[in-house]
Amino acid sequence: MHEAWSNHEVWVYECQNCGRTWDEEFEARHVADGHGGEAVAYEHDGHSCTTPWTDHMCPDCQRARVKAWPAPWRRHRAVPPTRKGDDLELVFRLRRLHAY
Ligand SMILES: [Zn+2]
């Protein structure tokens, strides 16, 4: 059985063509691959999407010259809207890893 957990991420974008900036919110779903590794799948508005730093287009000038970086200072939602039970799952996981 694979374990999965998710966290909320905010990414900031800046168009290198017209200078517009904006941000987008993602859910990063982490899935253990069963071999000690981890795969991450991103969701945006409930739909799976490519990674936040690729394939972005400026909403103003429609150019793809967009710079992206994660915005840790914008984590206004400290607790992501996860399903009930996810937090408990995380606690169990950390205990198994002897994280605390
Ligand atoms: Zn632009």
Side-chain angles (χ1 to χ4, degrees):
M1 184 181 143
H2 286 183
E3 298 170 83
W5 67 101
S6 65
N7 63 285
H8 192 73
E9 289 186 8
V10 178
W11 284 72
V12 174
Y13 300 89
E14 185 183 81
C15 178
Q16 302 296 287
N17 189 56
C18 71
R20 174 177 172 145
T21 59
W22 72 99
D23 55 59
E24 292 181 23
E25 299 181 21
F26 295 87
E27 291 296 321
R29 300 199 176 280
H30 304 256
V31 181
D33 64 7
H35 304 285
E38 178 188 317
V40 185
Y42 281 93
E43 284 186 13
H44 182 55
D45 288 338
H47 301 287
S48 59
C49 61
T50 57
T51 49
W53 56 90
T54 55
D55 293 339
H56 269 79
M57 206 170 262
C58 176
D60 275 356
C61 66
Q62 308 299 317
R63 301 287 183 89
R65 292 180 59 207
V66 173
K67 217 163 77 179
W69 63 95
W73 64 89
R74 284 288 312 274
R75 286 202 177 155
H76 48 279
R77 267 190 276 169
V79 179
T82 53
R83 290 182 305 277
K84 212 176 165 186
D86 278 3
D87 288 346
L88 203 60
E89 185 67 35
L90 183 62
V91 169
F92 285 143
R93 182 186 164 77
L94 289 172
R95 284 213 176 122
R96 275 200 298 278
L97 294 170
H98 304 290
Y100 72 94

